[in-house]
Amino acid sequence: MRKTLLTIAAMAMTLTMSAAAPEGLITSQPEGTLYPEVYTSAREFLVYNNMPGRTNNSGYNTPVVINGNDIYLHNVVRDYDGLDSWIHGTITDGVAEFPLPQPVQYIPGTAGDGSDDVVVYVEMFKAVRGDGAKDIVADTENPSLRMSWDGKKLTQILPGSSTDDLDYDGLCGLANVDHTYMSYGSQNIRMTIWDSDPITPPAGLETSKYTLSYVNSWGSIFGYRVNVGVSGNEMWIQGLNSYIPDAWIHGTIDAEGNVTLPSDQYFGVSHDYLMFFMTADYASGKYTLTPSVTLKKNGDVYEASSPMLINLGNEIVSGGDGMDIHNATLTPFVELPMTPADPIIIDLSYEEGISMLLFTILNYDTEGVPLDTDRLFFNVFVNGEKYTFTPEKEFVTEPITDIPFTYSNDDSFLMNGGDGLFIAAIEGEVRSMGVQSFYLNGANKDDIRRSEIVTEGESAINEVSAESPVVDTRYYNLNGVEVHNPGNGLFIKKITRANGKVETTKAIIR
């Protein structure tokens, strides 16, 4: 991550050599009818931590343009960063054929270091065995990506040419300028033009705020506000998907007040994936998709009978932390003053001219009650002073001091890693960095309650605290969940001194 930050800064100062892009590279949307939402699934071949791997990828979005018999696919190979281009094919007698190789990326060489141009192609490959080894080579006998087409669906036609290893049969992969396989590709590609819209509630639906509390499969605690409305025997819930907070799901209310929420409800597109509300059973670390989940009514509280998923696609279980919802409860929200829990500092480091603070903002209050994340903010402190991030120094879009929990900008020195994890980087070596959460209470959001300032490094705050004895010691995992009997591993150690000051450090327990 740190090297990414340095790369961003270096790119702004680098001059590029003038050179022509390869013939056939399509980087602008072609003319024709654009289908912006196309549900795509494939077997993905990729490199992760320098090791090749394969995975089933479901529900990612691949826009398609059709102009008569001409058809264009956007970023047909999914997992290679930096692609923003189209490949061209022709539809004849129900078959879309894309002659390959076609260029999909061009990066001109730089004058500063004399580097060469980079050209990346999409090409067809197959597996060939020889001398006890297996090679992935260009499939010159079947050089085209061929897909059946019925007016709505594209399904790859596998050529059957990888007789030495059918796992690679029909591999549509990336190649360098020498047309050598780059270990990124897709196989068994299936695409469907999506024509369903997310559901919408009845006009004029009145809603009330509820607190959704839950844990994920790792036991980490989460919670946020949702809107709940009832119309006849139907319940509508908005805000369950934090990636698409305006999206709704709905269910049916029975005579006892229990609510059945059907699985496979479409949220919309986020981060180039079609997202769905799915339900599942969970046992022995594995999910099994189910048709529905029941919210059992217990007084004013609703309790989910089984896990719910904010899912990428609707064929297999996918997603990560914060997208698997276990032991969910919906509780009517009562407006009471809330003070945010203290942030947790994971690390303060200095390398290559950059000081970097890694920390977690907890999205619940000092009593463990989930906060409305739209009201949750934090400040970063540098050498004991509240800091303002600027476009000139930290590449943010505008000066920012009060940072919302929902902040997101991956191209700056202030980054959101998801689930409350943040990185704040400052040029130069600092004496200390710290962070403080604050929360806007009340209907007018004018009652501001603040956490303690948690500081890492040498500072006046820590020097004063060091003179006071320790009265409480607690350990947390990296998700902020308290661990009462920590075993071996990396933990966050939080001590409270008699004068009320709090210090947080990393602790490795062996």
Side-chain angles (χ1 to χ4, degrees), residues 80-270:
Y80 182 79
D81 290 336
L83 295 185
D84 186 12
S85 57
W86 304 74
I87 63 170
H88 169 245
T90 304
I91 301 173
T92 305
D93 296 330
V95 174
E97 183 165 351
F98 301 84
L100 301 180
Q102 293 187 36
V104 291
Q105 186 183 52
Y106 168 66
I107 302 174
T110 57
D113 58 12
S115 59
D116 295 330
D117 294 354
V118 174
V119 181
V120 177
Y121 296 86
V122 165
E123 193 159 351
M124 298 303 295
F125 290 91
K126 65 179 181 179
V128 175
R129 289 192 180 276
D131 298 328
K134 178 173 63 180
D135 293 323
I136 309 303
V137 301
D139 189 351
T140 56
E141 296 178 356
N142 300 278
S144 296
L145 171 64
R146 301 179 72 248
M147 309 183 77
S148 63
W149 167 246
D150 65 1
K152 184 177 181 179
K153 295 182 180 180
L154 288 162
T155 303
Q156 184 180 2
I157 301 170
L158 301 179
S161 54
S162 283
T163 54
D164 288 334
D165 191 337
L166 288 177
D167 280 348
Y168 290 86
D169 187 36
L171 176 60
C172 179
L174 296 184
N176 60 21
V177 70
D178 296 324
H179 301 285
T180 300
Y181 177 54
M182 293 173 59
S183 299
Y184 291 87
S186 301
Q187 180 234 24
N188 195 22
I189 306 168
R190 305 173 308 281
M191 307 171 68
T192 302
I193 293 176
W194 195 258
D195 54 9
S196 298
D197 295 323
I199 62 173
T200 55
L205 179 72
E206 294 185 1
T207 63
S208 301
K209 283 191 176 295
Y210 277 66
T211 297
L212 171 70
S213 303
Y214 66 96
V215 298
N216 66 5
S217 57
W218 297 94
S220 298
I221 301 172
F222 294 90
Y224 46 87
R225 303 283 182 268
V226 297
N227 296 316
V228 176
V230 174
S231 175
N233 68 337
E234 288 190 312
M235 175 179 284
W236 298 78
I237 303 174
Q238 182 189 46
L240 194 69
N241 183 347
S242 60
Y243 294 92
I244 312 177
D246 293 335
W248 296 82
I249 62 170
H250 81 287
T252 303
I253 305 172
D254 66 16
E256 285 75 35
N258 302 321
V259 183
T260 299
L261 297 173
S263 189
D264 198 9
Q265 298 191 49
Y266 178 52
F267 284 119
V269 177
S270 179

Side-chain angles (χ1 to χ4, degrees), residues 29 61 119 155 222 274 278 306 317 319 335 341 362 435 463 483 487:
Q29 180 183 312
N61 190 32
V119 181
T155 303
F222 294 90
L274 283 75
M278 305 295 290
S306 56
V317 173
E335 184 73 65
L362 302 178
V435 63
E463 289 169 1
V483 180

Side-chain angles (χ1 to χ4, degrees), residues 10-49:
M11 286 175 61
M13 300 180 291
T14 302
L15 297 176
T16 59
M17 301 173 64
S18 60
E23 184 177 355
L25 178 64
I26 307 172
T27 56
S28 299
Q29 180 183 312
E31 293 184 1
T33 302
L34 172 67
Y35 297 92
E37 296 182 11
V38 179
Y39 185 109
T40 305
S41 298
R43 194 178 189 207
E44 299 291 321
F45 293 69
L46 66 155
V47 172
Y48 182 76
N49 286 340

